[in-house]
Amino acid sequence: MHDTMDMVDDPEYDEEEPSFSDPEDYVDDVDDDELLGDILREKPQEADGIDSVVVVDNVPQVGPERLEKLKNVIHKIFSKFGKITTEFYPEADGLTKGYIFLEYAAPTQALEAVKNADGYKLDKQHTFRVNLFTDFDKYMNISDEWETPEKQPFKDFGNMRHWIEDQDCRDQYSVIFEAGERTAIFANDAKEPITFEERARWTETYVRWSPKGTYLATFHQRGIALWGGEKFKQIQRFSHQGVSLIDFSPCERYVVTFSPLIDTKEDPQAIIIWDILTGQKKRGFHCESSAHWPIFKWSHDGKFFARMTPDTLSIYETPSMGLLDKKSLKINGIKDFSWSPGDNILAFWVPEDKDIPARVTLMQMPSRHEIRVRNLFNVVDCKLHWQRNGDYLCVKVDRTPKGTQGVVTNFEIFRMREKQVPVDAMEMKESIIAFAWEPNGSKFAVLHGESPRINASFYNVRNNGKIDLLKMFDKQQANSIFWSPQGQFLVLAGLRSMNGALAFVDTSDCIMMNIAEHYMASDVEWDPTGRYVVTSVSWWSHKVDNAYWLWTFQGRLLQKNNKDRFCQLLWRPRPPTLLSADQIKNIKKDLKKYSKIFEQKDRLSQSKASKELVDKRRTMMEEYHRYRETAQQVYQEQKTIRLELRGGVDTDELDSNVDDWEEETIEFFINEEIIPLGDL
């Protein structure tokens, strides 16, 4: 202790305290708003007492018996924006006047209420208009002289369809890996993927492309964000706490979000439909279960959307988001429905009820005219399968015929483009594993049977109604069918439990082009052009061997891309072509002429790649020579030091200092061996 005191008293240890003052010429360029912006915004400000008051118009006019209930509803809606200190409901002749005054604890809360509650739809007859009380003075004192409105800055997000202009026609795809920590956008190339954009924690769960590929949606606890343009800037964001599912309208004008966290009887928040361009909430809906997502199904052009509830089919129209003709369809027992991908036609089916047979109905919208009804008997279940262009509808009907045991399956084929919509039927007695239409044709594929004897059959629907069996492959290891987006080619895949067996089929002449395997594959994704197909093992379903492999449509493996904890790969969709059917026909007619151009481009690409490799090697050799010359120069500069260290002896060369060498000969006995030669 004494030593310590002596040390403190010692003048050698009396150091001057450091100064924390700024130099005399220092200029402070950081303002208070930058440092304390969030705190300053809550600083009490001088006010005349009405800055915190909002006026809510279009409120229901009620009597004393319903006033308390109205107050509870209003308070529940508007208390979300801040603490309400005063509520005033003007009355006349025993009824409220249809407008109210609400005072908040702070002006910022009042502004928040105006921003979020203006346009709020309470019910069919009442949509709130919310304004600040101080705005009334502003609007009363508007000048009669015209003032040119201030131009609003244009938000340029770049070319929203830039990827289509790629000179090498490379499609893009998104990849989530590292268990969701990283998300990347790649441009597809036969040699190796080209990284276009990569970000950490871009999404909290998964991503989703919009139907035409314009937007990339990412999920967050507070809502979703849409990204696009050449640099994937944030285009729009939608606040929906706990959002877990989304769905886009086919026209990309609207997005539907679902959250299981928030929903109230007065203010439906489980499902929200948003306007993508403005970011505004169009309407909210209740939702008891999201087991069958999407809850709302859209018509092909995005003009209508519909949902099914017990004994009811509700069809809504855009942009009003109101019920079509202000009423729902009453359909007792309705089980399922689906929109045609090519027309505003609804298909739905109803099971049997006592003596009334099951039926499938096709209904034209918005007229609600029934264009075809098909009665069915002894029905257990139905599934509706539309061909992508809406040319055909297949209703897969599981039946239990009287007098027989077990279930048989009928395929009821509706030929939608013909008068009175004729229907053809085909029966299969084996259990059906999978069914899929050719996207742009009249063929369909069926997997049927029981493992290990699973058969793959290919059929064609002729104009005369006859359904021809084209080919059947027996003993297939498959549980899924994946058609190329352009038709003709498909992949029969045995996913997950079938260990990733793959069969690549050309249905033009029904030949098996290749048989391969991607062990434990969980997903198959065709690119939009139908030239490439990706198989993958997702970390979400299998914790090892996570990777995605790129194949040609013929089944030739091009790449094996291993990604740490790979989760998801999604191809970026392409918008519909702007070419007419005749133009496409002419291109196909002159395909050989175009093929020569592309073959020449491929050869140039290969030679370019070879040239790049040669240039790379030449650069490496030049770098090596430069390094060697530098090292030799340093070696020569250090010769004097080496001589000093070695007593003047130059050891740089093997034959240096020959005159100073001494030769010494050494002989030593190694071995002696006596070999007898015998008698000579």
Side-chain angles (χ1 to χ4, degrees), residues 304-307 313-317 322-329 339 346 363 365 368:
F304 306 99
F305 59 99
R307 76 179 296 184
L313 183 60
S314 301
I315 303 155
Y316 301 85
E317 57 184 345
L323 274 171
L324 181 64
D325 297 334
K326 299 184 179 180
K327 59 182 178 180
S328 298
L329 284 169
W339 287 95
L346 264 175
M363 183 176 287
M365 290 296 161
R368 306 194 184 197

Side-chain angles (χ1 to χ4, degrees), residues 6 83 88 143 332 500 639:
D6 292 342
K83 183 181 178 182
F88 179 59
S143 173
N332 291 328
K639 184 168 185 176

Side-chain angles (χ1 to χ4, degrees), residues 627-639:
Y627 169 77
R628 190 170 184 271
E629 290 173 2
T630 303
Q632 286 177 334
Q633 184 178 353
V634 172
Y635 186 73
Q636 290 299 324
E637 292 173 353
Q638 293 176 345
K639 184 168 185 176

Side-chain angles (χ1 to χ4, degrees), residues 362-559:
L362 299 178
M363 183 176 287
Q364 185 79 47
M365 290 296 161
S367 65
R368 306 194 184 197
H369 171 65
E370 293 185 356
I371 58 177
R372 189 70 162 89
V373 177
R374 177 77 165 178
N375 291 330
L376 305 168
F377 299 91
N378 306 314
V379 175
V380 177
D381 191 22
C382 285
K383 291 288 186 293
L384 307 173
H385 299 277
W386 285 97
Q387 188 247 19
R388 192 175 70 177
N389 295 332
D391 297 337
Y392 302 96
L393 168 65
C394 173
V395 181
K396 173 182 165 288
V397 185
D398 294 331
R399 300 169 54 244
T400 53
K402 290 182 179 180
T404 61
Q405 292 183 346
V407 176
V408 298
T409 300
N410 273 30
F411 292 111
E412 307 280 338
I413 309 293
F414 292 70
R415 304 204 300 274
M416 300 297 299
R417 302 303 177 198
E418 299 180 33
K419 288 183 179 180
Q420 298 180 343
V421 191
V423 182
D424 308 310
M426 185 187 77
E427 183 177 279
M428 297 192 75
K429 294 185 178 180
E430 292 182 301
S431 61
I432 306 301
I433 298 169
F435 173 96
W437 280 104
E438 180 183 24
N440 296 324
S442 57
K443 294 193 284 283
F444 62 88
V446 183
L447 289 176
H448 52 95
E450 299 286 346
S451 183
R453 298 184 62 85
I454 296 175
N455 303 320
S457 297
F458 303 94
Y459 295 88
N460 183 49
V461 181
R462 292 167 59 175
N463 291 334
N464 61 5
K466 189 176 179 181
I467 302 173
D468 295 330
L469 174 62
L470 302 177
K471 183 79 173 181
M472 186 181 78
F473 296 109
D474 58 358
K475 296 182 181 179
Q476 295 297 305
Q477 283 187 292
N479 53 20
S480 304
I481 304 168
F482 297 94
W483 281 94
S484 162
Q486 305 305 321
Q488 184 177 342
F489 304 103
L490 61 76
V491 175
L492 300 174
L495 301 180
R496 296 179 176 85
S497 60
M498 288 192 173
N499 297 331
L502 303 169
F504 295 82
V505 182
D506 181 354
T507 62
S508 62
D509 46 12
C510 290
I511 60 170
M512 198 82 74
M513 296 182 292
N514 191 27
I515 296 175
E517 181 185 80
H518 185 176
Y519 183 67
M520 293 307 295
S522 57
D523 300 282
V524 176
E525 295 281 347
W526 280 93
D527 87 313
T529 66
R531 293 180 297 168
Y532 302 100
V533 63
V534 164
T535 59
S536 59
V537 181
S538 172
W539 184 77
W540 291 336
S541 61
H542 196 64
K543 299 302 180 186
V544 295
D545 300 329
N546 304 128
Y548 67 92
W549 294 3
L550 182 71
W551 311 74
T552 66
F553 67 94
Q554 298 162 315
R556 181 165 58 91
L557 182 61
L558 297 177
Q559 300 171 15

Side-chain angles (χ1 to χ4, degrees), residues 18-276:
S19 173
F20 294 97
S21 302
D22 294 326
E24 292 181 2
D25 58 346
Y26 175 76
V27 178
D28 188 355
D29 59 351
V30 181
D31 58 20
D32 291 341
D33 284 338
E34 186 174 349
L35 288 174
L36 306 168
D38 54 341
I39 297 175
L40 290 175
R41 278 192 289 273
E42 298 180 6
K43 177 183 176 182
Q45 299 177 356
E46 291 185 12
D48 55 8
I50 60 172
D51 291 343
S52 302
V53 178
V54 298
V55 183
V56 184
D57 205 357
N58 293 338
V59 177
Q61 293 178 275
V62 300
E65 68 281 357
R66 297 179 59 195
L67 181 58
E68 194 61 34
K69 183 177 180 181
L70 177 64
K71 287 184 176 181
N72 290 336
V73 172
I74 295 292
H75 187 84
K76 192 166 189 177
I77 294 171
F78 285 88
S79 61
K80 292 185 292 187
F81 312 116
K83 183 181 178 182
I84 299 175
T85 58
T86 308
E87 301 178 23
F88 179 59
Y89 289 72
E91 297 182 21
D93 301 327
L95 293 175
T96 56
K97 287 188 174 183
Y99 58 89
I100 63 172
F101 299 88
L102 302 176
E103 183 178 2
Y104 283 92
T108 54
Q109 298 172 0
L111 283 170
E112 193 71 13
V114 172
K115 179 181 176 183
N116 291 282
D118 186 39
Y120 180 90
K121 192 169 184 178
L122 182 66
D123 54 35
K124 293 179 182 179
Q125 287 80 31
H126 300 93
T127 300
F128 291 155
R129 297 314 309 266
V130 186
N131 292 282
L132 290 171
F133 189 80
T134 52
D135 286 344
F136 283 86
D137 289 335
K138 180 175 70 176
Y139 296 137
M140 290 293 290
N141 298 319
I142 295 176
S143 173
D144 293 333
E145 295 181 7
W146 165 255
E147 293 182 7
T148 305
E150 183 180 349
K151 288 185 178 180
Q152 297 297 318
F154 172 69
K155 291 184 179 180
D156 184 9
F157 297 112
N159 184 357
M160 298 295 285
R161 292 186 173 177
H162 65 94
W163 84 100
I164 300 175
E165 298 177 358
D166 184 85
Q167 292 185 350
D168 295 316
C169 303
R170 298 187 186 98
D171 280 289
Q172 293 183 353
Y173 57 84
S174 62
V175 174
I176 298 177
F177 56 102
E178 292 185 9
E181 283 294 306
R182 300 197 70 81
T183 303
I185 310 296
F186 293 100
N188 181 42
D189 190 85
K191 299 179 181 64
E192 59 179 355
I194 301 168
T195 304
F196 190 83
E197 189 77 23
E198 184 174 335
R199 298 178 189 176
R201 292 177 292 280
W202 200 350
T203 183
E204 294 181 16
T205 51
Y206 61 101
V207 299
R208 175 90 182 267
W209 292 103
S210 61
K212 297 179 182 179
T214 308
Y215 307 105
L216 177 71
T218 57
F219 288 72
H220 311 274
Q221 181 60 30
R222 294 186 177 182
I224 65 169
L226 299 186
W227 311 79
E230 297 178 30
K231 300 297 182 182
F232 281 94
K233 297 178 182 177
Q234 188 179 101
I235 307 298
Q236 197 64 263
R237 59 181 179 180
F238 307 96
S239 178
H240 197 182
Q241 190 75 16
V243 62
S244 59
L245 297 168
I246 68 168
D247 186 41
F248 287 92
S249 65
C251 59
E252 292 190 341
R253 180 65 192 272
Y254 307 102
V255 63
V256 186
T257 60
F258 167 78
S259 171
L261 301 184
I262 307 172
D263 201 15
T264 61
K265 189 175 181 180
E266 298 81 9
D267 183 21
Q269 295 280 341
I271 296 177
I272 299 178
I273 300 180
W274 308 85
D275 188 307
I276 290 178

Side-chain angles (χ1 to χ4, degrees), residues 524-678:
V524 176
E525 295 281 347
W526 280 93
D527 87 313
T529 66
R531 293 180 297 168
Y532 302 100
V533 63
V534 164
T535 59
S536 59
V537 181
S538 172
W539 184 77
W540 291 336
S541 61
H542 196 64
K543 299 302 180 186
V544 295
D545 300 329
N546 304 128
Y548 67 92
W549 294 3
L550 182 71
W551 311 74
T552 66
F553 67 94
Q554 298 162 315
R556 181 165 58 91
L557 182 61
L558 297 177
Q559 300 171 15
K560 290 184 178 181
N561 294 294
N562 298 316
K563 289 286 185 183
D564 179 32
R565 291 167 291 169
F566 163 84
C567 298
Q568 181 196 48
L569 181 145
L570 290 177
W571 288 96
R572 187 173 193 173
R574 283 176 171 259
T577 179
L578 299 176
L579 300 175
S580 66
D582 290 336
Q583 288 174 318
I584 295 174
K585 189 175 180 180
N586 291 333
I587 290 172
K588 289 182 177 180
K589 184 179 177 181
D590 298 333
L591 192 59
K592 289 185 178 179
K593 181 179 70 176
Y594 296 115
S595 296
K596 291 179 181 179
I597 298 172
F598 288 116
E599 286 172 4
Q600 183 180 4
K601 191 171 183 179
D602 288 342
R603 285 193 294 270
L604 286 172
S605 176
Q606 291 174 359
S607 62
K608 181 181 177 183
S610 302
K611 184 177 181 300
E612 288 176 354
L613 183 61
V614 170
D615 291 342
K616 183 179 179 182
R617 289 176 177 174
R618 184 181 290 113
T619 302
M620 292 173 66
M621 181 60 74
E622 290 173 355
E623 289 177 355
Y624 165 72
H625 284 307
R626 284 196 295 271
Y627 169 77
R628 190 170 184 271
E629 290 173 2
T630 303
Q632 286 177 334
Q633 184 178 353
V634 172
Y635 186 73
Q636 290 299 324
E637 292 173 353
Q638 293 176 345
K639 184 168 185 176
T640 306
I641 301 174
R642 288 197 300 278
L643 289 172
E644 291 177 1
L645 291 172
R646 296 166 186 170
V649 178
D650 185 0
T651 59
D652 290 355
E653 303 292 339
L654 291 175
D655 57 351
S656 61
N657 302 307
V658 176
D659 297 338
D660 298 332
W661 287 7
E662 294 181 3
E663 183 176 351
E664 182 177 351
T665 303
I666 301 175
E667 296 181 359
F668 54 91
F669 182 75
I670 299 175
N671 189 20
E672 181 181 3
E673 185 178 357
I674 300 175
I675 302 174
L677 299 176

